[in-house]
Amino acid sequence: MVMVGTDLVEVERRLRAGELVCPCGVGRLAPWGHARRRVVRGVGVFRPRRGRCGACQVTHVLVAVSCLLRRADAVEVIGAALTAKAAGQGHRRIAARLDRPVSTVRGWLRAFGRDAEAVRGVFTALLGELDPLAGPIRPAGSVVADAVEAIGAAVAAARRRLGVVGAVSAWQLCSAVTGGRLLSPAGPAGSINTSWPLAVAG
Ligand SMILES: [Zn+2]
């Protein structure tokens, strides 16, 4: 899986121009059909593009930064739930406000809570890389709130450092950095997508 921008026309152009680097770090991806149809609420119905690496021959699905791996809602909606949870709201209230099933929202919050410490670590490290002079992140009162705080601080630093992320939301950047695995069982820490600036640039 390779994270790409949300502009399908631009993604197609970059794929055809050989601008998408394979996660192997050696080859470039060339067009290789489409993955099966996906429905993502808040994003739409689409068939993600697939690319194949000329070097390692592995095929990768190109996933837009507006999505997360195996989640049927836009990262924007999931992020809104995480922000509300960080502010102390319960899952029932969040579900009602976002018009999503209670069980779905509870699933997001649990998955995020399980790895919140790792997420905090990843984004705190990213903040340090983007802005070595950034001060420490103030404790926000809970593990989840600390993680959301770290994401916000890293995104703000990315905006200062690389103007390119202007059109990309905080949660989309979060998706790009974690390779879409923000809520995945394997956790986000082992899957940091080092080419994330490319994903948010296009
Ligand atoms: Zn490759």
Side-chain angles (χ1 to χ4, degrees):
M1 198 176 74
V2 170
M3 302 307 289
V4 293
T6 53
D7 180 342
L8 296 179
V9 175
E10 175 62 8
V11 167
E12 188 66 26
R13 187 197 65 73
R14 294 180 69 200
L15 180 63
R16 289 181 182 279
E19 291 180 10
L20 298 177
V21 180
C22 175
C24 76
V26 179
R28 306 276 168 153
L29 301 177
W32 197 259
H34 292 81
R36 66 186 170 79
R37 203 175 76 111
R38 271 188 84 180
V39 183
V40 176
R41 287 184 295 266
V43 177
V45 180
F46 56 96
R47 291 186 68 198
R49 199 66 158 104
R50 257 195 336 233
R52 185 168 184 260
C53 175
C56 71
Q57 320 276 305
V58 172
T59 59
H60 293 280
V61 177
L62 309 185
V63 178
V65 294
S66 48
C67 304
L68 289 178
L69 190 66
R70 293 195 197 93
R71 298 287 163 177
D73 288 274
V75 69
E76 219 55 56
V77 178
I78 295 172
L82 300 177
T83 303
K85 170 73 178 173
Q89 284 181 27
H91 66 270
R92 285 179 197 285
R93 196 170 144 206
I94 298 170
R97 189 165 58 81
L98 296 177
D99 193 22
R100 294 293 189 272
V102 170
S103 59
T104 302
V105 172
R106 195 171 47 214
W108 300 339
L109 301 181
R110 275 193 186 151
F112 187 78
R114 195 179 50 221
D115 286 320
E117 187 55 43
V119 170
R120 191 193 61 77
V122 163
F123 283 89
T124 302
L126 179 62
L127 172 64
E129 248 172 63
L130 291 167
D131 183 1
L133 299 178
I137 300 167
R138 280 182 298 119
S142 71
V143 184
V144 166
D146 285 348
V148 170
E149 195 73 23
I151 290 169
V155 167
R159 284 199 203 288
R160 289 194 299 271
R161 177 85 182 265
L162 328 150
V164 292
V165 297
V168 177
S169 78
W171 291 106
Q172 289 179 356
L173 188 123
C174 193
S175 173
V177 169
T178 59
R181 291 176 171 81
L182 182 66
L183 300 183
S184 108
S191 56
I192 290 314
N193 175 17
T194 51
S195 62
W196 64 268
L198 285 172
V200 295

